[in-house]
Amino acid sequence: MKTIIVFLFAFAINHANAQLTTPDTIVTSQGNIIVQPVFHAALVLEWKGKSIYIDPYNGAGAYKTLKKPDLVLITDIHGDHMDIKTLEALDLKSAILLVPQAVADKLPGEWKEKTVILNNGSTTEQSGISIRAIPMYNLPDDSTSRHTKGRGNGYVLTLGDKKLYISGDTEDIPEMRSLKNIDVAFICMNTPYTMTEEQSASAVLDFKPKIVYSFHYRGQGGFSDTEKFKMLVNKGNSSIDVRLKDWYAGEK
């Protein structure tokens, strides 16, 4: 019986790990960044021994083989970004949560002391990492918007000599198009909540990141056409490295 239990436990761990697509490595002047896609808009970045969780979502199972978080960034109040059940299942004892005010207002009270509020335009430095909050919103910017300006955050992280942009749920807003010197970008692409393939590609061609990942690409009608996105970007600028990773491993 003990042997069976050990086997089942090992299988569960391996199964959880199997659901994660292969991570990427990005070289910086101060060590490699490991980019681990998790699910939908969720990803984990590891750098200099620190683990940064972005919008942890869909249960803690996929995180079992990953280092516990030092920083947790949440972009918005919607359940596919602020997933309280997943957060409660993670080991947050040593973690700092970086969130917009709207998210802070909905977090459990016991996390207040570990929460840093960042609103659009704010910058903080945590564990040697500069984190700047920028707008994310739908167009037109009015009261009918699914994502109103000022409620949620996109983030720009500086890790060594590399700048990484995380879009959050946004359309192709001027604040994204005007970004400068972005090395790695994570761009959402799902209608009707964020952008079409054409909108995402057009924005990327404006701010010209060196590497771009398409994530958060499942919408109301299913999966967006990530190959089309890649084609549109590289047709306009063949030097942009478009990386298509599986953010829904085991789901298709």
Side-chain angles (χ1 to χ4, degrees), residues 5-88:
I5 291 171
V6 169
F7 171 79
L8 291 174
F9 178 78
F11 175 81
I13 292 294
N14 289 334
H15 181 70
N17 189 44
Q19 300 308 301
L20 295 178
T21 194
T22 305
D24 277 358
T25 299
I26 295 169
V27 178
T28 85
S29 61
Q30 298 180 33
N32 293 342
I33 303 168
I34 305 301
V35 178
Q36 177 62 71
V38 179
F39 187 80
H40 195 52
L43 68 142
V44 172
L45 304 172
E46 291 192 16
W47 181 70
K48 292 182 67 174
K50 299 297 182 182
S51 189
I52 308 162
Y53 282 32
I54 315 294
D55 286 341
Y57 172 53
N58 202 41
Y63 298 89
K64 287 183 180 295
T65 60
L66 302 178
K67 183 180 179 293
K68 66 182 180 181
D70 298 289
L71 301 175
V72 178
L73 279 63
I74 301 175
T75 60
D76 193 36
I77 60 174
H78 287 162
D80 57 339
H81 299 273
M82 185 190 69
D83 182 355
I84 297 295
K85 287 185 178 179
T86 296
L87 288 167
E88 289 178 335

Side-chain angles (χ1 to χ4, degrees), residues 5-201:
I5 291 171
V6 169
F7 171 79
L8 291 174
F9 178 78
F11 175 81
I13 292 294
N14 289 334
H15 181 70
N17 189 44
Q19 300 308 301
L20 295 178
T21 194
T22 305
D24 277 358
T25 299
I26 295 169
V27 178
T28 85
S29 61
Q30 298 180 33
N32 293 342
I33 303 168
I34 305 301
V35 178
Q36 177 62 71
V38 179
F39 187 80
H40 195 52
L43 68 142
V44 172
L45 304 172
E46 291 192 16
W47 181 70
K48 292 182 67 174
K50 299 297 182 182
S51 189
I52 308 162
Y53 282 32
I54 315 294
D55 286 341
Y57 172 53
N58 202 41
Y63 298 89
K64 287 183 180 295
T65 60
L66 302 178
K67 183 180 179 293
K68 66 182 180 181
D70 298 289
L71 301 175
V72 178
L73 279 63
I74 301 175
T75 60
D76 193 36
I77 60 174
H78 287 162
D80 57 339
H81 299 273
M82 185 190 69
D83 182 355
I84 297 295
K85 287 185 178 179
T86 296
L87 288 167
E88 289 178 335
L90 296 173
D91 183 352
L92 299 180
K93 292 185 182 68
S94 302
I96 296 172
L97 280 61
L98 297 106
V99 305
Q101 183 67 60
V103 170
D105 291 342
K106 294 179 178 294
L107 292 178
E110 61 266 27
W111 294 347
K112 184 176 180 180
E113 291 185 358
K114 61 170 67 255
T115 300
V116 174
I117 296 172
L118 283 179
N119 291 315
N120 294 174
S122 299
T123 300
T124 186
E125 183 166 323
Q126 303 288 338
S127 302
I129 300 166
S130 173
I131 302 164
R132 176 163 59 99
I134 69 170
M136 50 144 276
Y137 58 95
N138 287 124
L139 298 169
D141 177 29
D142 59 29
S143 59
T144 66
S145 173
R146 287 184 171 87
H147 305 94
T148 53
K149 187 174 183 179
R151 187 186 76 197
N153 289 332
Y155 293 103
V156 175
L157 286 69
T158 302
L159 285 69
D161 60 346
K162 296 292 188 285
K163 288 188 177 181
L164 288 71
Y165 167 60
I166 297 151
S167 71
D169 278 6
T170 193
E171 286 195 52
D172 50 334
I173 57 175
E175 294 89 343
M176 175 168 58
R177 289 182 176 273
S178 63
L179 288 168
K180 304 293 183 187
N181 303 315
I182 298 297
D183 296 286
V184 184
F186 298 88
I187 301 296
C188 60
M189 186 177 63
N190 63 335
T191 55
Y193 309 111
T194 62
M195 293 183 281
T196 64
E197 296 90 345
E198 290 83 1
Q199 286 176 298
S200 297

Side-chain angles (χ1 to χ4, degrees), residues 225-244:
D225 189 341
T226 55
E227 291 287 352
K228 179 181 180 181
F229 167 74
K230 178 180 174 69
M231 181 273 294
L232 290 170
V233 171
N234 286 150
K235 183 179 180 181
N237 187 335
S238 60
S239 68
I240 296 175
D241 181 1
V242 182
R243 300 188 181 183
L244 303 182

